[in-house]
Amino acid sequence: MTLKNISFKRILRNLKTFFSNPANIILVVFAVILSIAVIYPLIILAFDAFTIHSLREAKEINEVLETTLKKGDLTFGHWLLLMFNSEVEGFSQTNFWDPLWKSVLMSLIACLVAVLGGGVIAWFITRSNMPCKKFISTVFVFPYIMPSWSIAMFWENFFKNSQITSCYNEVGLLESMTGICVPESLLYGFWPTAFVLGIHYMPFAYILIGGILRNMDANLEEAATILKASRFKILRRITLPIVAPALISTVLLVFASSISSYTVPHFLNANGSFNSISITMRSMLTTGQKGKGYVIAVILLVFSMLILTINNWFTKSRRNFTTVSGKSGQISKANLGKFKWPITALLIAFVGFFAVFPLVTFVLESLCAKSGDLSTLTLKYWTTTEDLDVRITSQLQSSQGVLHNFTIWNAFGRSILVSTVVALFAGTFGILIGYAVSKNRRGKLANFVSSLAFLPYLIPALSFGAVFFALITMPQFNWLNVANTNNQWSAIAICIIAGSIKFLPFASRSGTNAMLQLSGEIEEAAIITGCPWGKRMTKILFPIQKSSFISGYLLPFISCMRELTLFTLLTDNFSLITNTLQFYDTYGLGQISNAINLLIVVFVIGANLLVNALTGASIDKGIGG
């Protein structure tokens, strides 16, 4: 037997041994799938940022740069015309630098609001003797479960007034109840957008920071107390340094999410005073300036990669300063004394205002014939079979009351379908990836698959949508473009693909963490008895970690049901319920848009509470991936 034959047989034997392990098969399969589904679209996006997409773009670039380029050619022209356009006065400043700078500042303010609010409430819940903790903790997570634009719509419902031209003489609840009219700068524009985003991500900060505080070793605090250190000094010198990694991670992740947010700036920009970088990007992608829009998408993507790098660097550097080797069973609780009930009442009022009161406003606004006027309550916008707006019916869509509106219920059904399929794909893939990674946690292939599975979380939703928008505009993928096919199944298909990949990080992290908690002896015992892999997964591993695995299905489902930013470029006005809400709001039917918002929020919160009651799984147990 020749040396060549021996080597070939050895390779075959090694391959047979490698693929006899189900975990290795899973890793290879998902390495291929995720490379195609994540890396390939990113390459297409980067390529499109340098490609001339239309005759209009070619003409513009040729006139400015004095070239003879044509459609399909590669060029740096989009970058130059967007950032350093000297031909059109003020173009770059108005369409890039101002939106980018204001979006960065908006995101920093949102981070400050989220971290301060979430951190303070986390401290009171975990480190004080404040009563009503369970109620506050449960309700406080609602603003994050809600779509971010729900808080934006609530903000508008509450503060709009007859003194603001953009409100078209509509009255908000604050003016209706008290007669107070806030200035326009508090209702629309930069500051309200930053504050609303901060409120939306406040529970996110609470979950991250509260988890660290709840599990923090109390030995250092106890030692400081014995040494007569003041409570403020303990907080400043011990507690804050320990939670610093969680604070930094929260700031970076909230910043990355806020700078790419489209829905909140859109809903709070009725007067056109604040064009965020995301609004500018969507406008360019949908008005024949695709090259410039893709450039902004790439820039936002670079922002996210930079944030990930900073977060990893800081986290790794902190590991060198770990000094705690044990954990005290006693947690030092601050005694609030006579301030206990006033602080509790203040927090309940704050949480109730942003978590419960929005639902009340959605109900009232859906029933008021005249916005904010409680004397005009009517069921008309829920029950009427008459058409409310001829502009909508002329588009072959329904403008009847919500209960009889086929446009709303068809879109709602499609949203449930998309969310269910996305949850099944993402949840199942997450469990499989978690299993394979946990079995090969030190392997390079496992690290590669784990990193690819988490990468979509770091990509801004609008940029991720732009990735697939670039894909469906290619001739071979036109069948996925609803604008070309005029078939809602195209929108459903591309939303399922994009959603499954975008929300995979939630499920993969949930699955990996659940698998890492299981001792290898459990599966080894089953292997010894001859139990096949499929039966081990369904009869042993899944039942043991049922709650964590179901959270891996629940997170993508709820996230997909409330998503608009990811799908806004991939769908039309009637594809999903979130698009439909935006459509009716644009046509001035605020009663119907508030009713749709109420349906979405109640459905999302109800689904979370129902699954939690039946299985113990809950979205708040997996927030942040």
Side-chain angles (χ1 to χ4, degrees), residues 271-283:
N271 61 357
S273 63
F274 173 51
N275 285 320
S276 68
I277 194 68
S278 57
I279 292 177
T280 303
M281 171 184 159
R282 187 186 187 279
S283 175

Side-chain angles (χ1 to χ4, degrees), residues 198-234:
I199 292 294
H200 176 62
Y201 289 112
M202 204 178 280
F204 178 84
Y206 163 73
I207 294 295
L208 289 180
I209 298 170
I212 298 294
L213 289 173
R214 186 177 293 109
N215 298 313
M216 190 176 74
D217 187 352
N219 282 324
L220 293 175
E221 289 183 317
E222 292 170 358
T225 302
I226 293 172
L227 294 173
K228 307 298 184 182
S230 66
R231 174 60 61 178
F232 176 75
K233 192 170 185 179
I234 293 173

Side-chain angles (χ1 to χ4, degrees), residues 69 74 89 121 221 278 315 344 376 381 407 446 500:
L69 298 170
L74 297 178
E89 185 177 355
I121 292 178
E221 289 183 317
S278 57
T315 303
T344 302
T376 63
Y381 297 95
T407 300
S500 297

Side-chain angles (χ1 to χ4, degrees), residues 564 567-568 571-573 575-583:
L564 175 59
F567 301 134
T568 186
T571 55
D572 61 21
N573 290 328
S575 297
L576 302 177
I577 192 64
T578 47
N579 301 98
T580 306
L581 183 152
Q582 187 182 26
F583 170 75

Side-chain angles (χ1 to χ4, degrees), residues 112-249:
L112 182 64
V113 172
V115 171
L116 281 180
V120 168
I121 292 178
W123 186 85
F124 278 116
I125 293 292
T126 61
R127 315 299 288 183
S128 77
N129 65 339
M130 184 184 73
C132 304
K133 292 181 180 181
K134 186 175 182 180
F135 171 79
I136 294 173
S137 181
T138 300
V139 175
F140 185 50
V141 79
F142 282 6
Y144 190 79
I145 295 177
M146 293 180 190
S148 58
W149 37 263
S150 292
I151 307 298
M153 288 190 70
F154 159 68
W155 191 270
E156 185 181 41
N157 289 340
F158 189 76
F159 287 115
K160 63 185 175 182
N161 58 75
S162 56
Q163 301 301 311
I164 299 176
T165 305
S166 307
C167 295
Y168 304 104
N169 292 320
E170 290 185 345
V171 176
L173 291 176
L174 180 63
E175 182 183 4
S176 178
M177 293 185 295
T178 66
I180 297 174
C181 295
V182 301
E184 189 170 11
S185 59
L186 187 60
L187 175 59
Y188 296 123
F190 174 85
W191 289 102
T193 300
F195 189 74
V196 166
L197 284 170
I199 292 294
H200 176 62
Y201 289 112
M202 204 178 280
F204 178 84
Y206 163 73
I207 294 295
L208 289 180
I209 298 170
I212 298 294
L213 289 173
R214 186 177 293 109
N215 298 313
M216 190 176 74
D217 187 352
N219 282 324
L220 293 175
E221 289 183 317
E222 292 170 358
T225 302
I226 293 172
L227 294 173
K228 307 298 184 182
S230 66
R231 174 60 61 178
F232 176 75
K233 192 170 185 179
I234 293 173
L235 178 67
R236 181 172 57 89
R237 299 294 297 274
I238 297 175
T239 307
L240 285 179
I242 289 176
V243 301
L247 287 173
I248 296 297
S249 294

Side-chain angles (χ1 to χ4, degrees), residues 17 35 76 179 205 227 229 267 307-308 350 353 367 383 390-391 470 475 495 498 519 523 542:
T17 302
S35 295
F76 281 96
L227 294 173
F267 274 97
I307 287 169
L308 172 63
F350 177 80
F353 184 74
L367 296 174
T383 61
V390 68
R391 296 171 300 172
C495 287
S519 170
E523 189 174 10
F542 191 91

Side-chain angles (χ1 to χ4, degrees), residues 422-552:
V422 164
L424 289 173
F425 278 130
T428 303
F429 290 170
I431 291 173
L432 293 175
I433 291 172
Y435 173 83
V437 169
S438 66
K439 297 299 179 183
N440 300 271
R441 68 188 74 175
R442 292 182 177 85
K444 292 181 179 180
L445 184 59
N447 289 331
F448 175 74
V449 171
S450 180
S451 298
L452 273 187
F454 189 67
L455 180 61
Y457 181 79
L458 305 171
I459 302 174
L462 197 61
S463 291
F464 201 76
V467 167
F468 288 90
F469 181 74
L471 196 68
I472 63 177
T473 54
M474 298 174 65
Q476 58 268 42
F477 294 107
N478 265 341
W479 60 278
L480 290 171
N481 191 345
V482 68
N484 291 334
T485 65
N486 199 30
N487 188 331
Q488 292 299 339
W489 286 105
S490 298
I492 289 173
I494 189 60
C495 287
I496 287 173
I497 295 170
S500 297
I501 300 169
K502 177 60 179 174
F503 301 124
L504 177 62
F506 294 125
S508 67
R509 282 305 166 101
S510 178
T512 301
N513 291 337
M515 287 297 181
L516 288 174
Q517 291 175 347
L518 293 174
S519 170
E521 296 173 355
I522 297 174
E523 189 174 10
E524 289 171 5
I527 293 173
I528 292 172
T529 62
C531 182
W533 177 79
K535 197 170 185 179
R536 297 199 301 269
M537 289 293 295
T538 56
K539 299 295 185 180
I540 300 175
L541 301 183
F542 191 91
I544 293 176
Q545 290 290 61
K546 178 181 66 174
S547 178
S548 296
F549 289 149
I550 292 178
S551 292

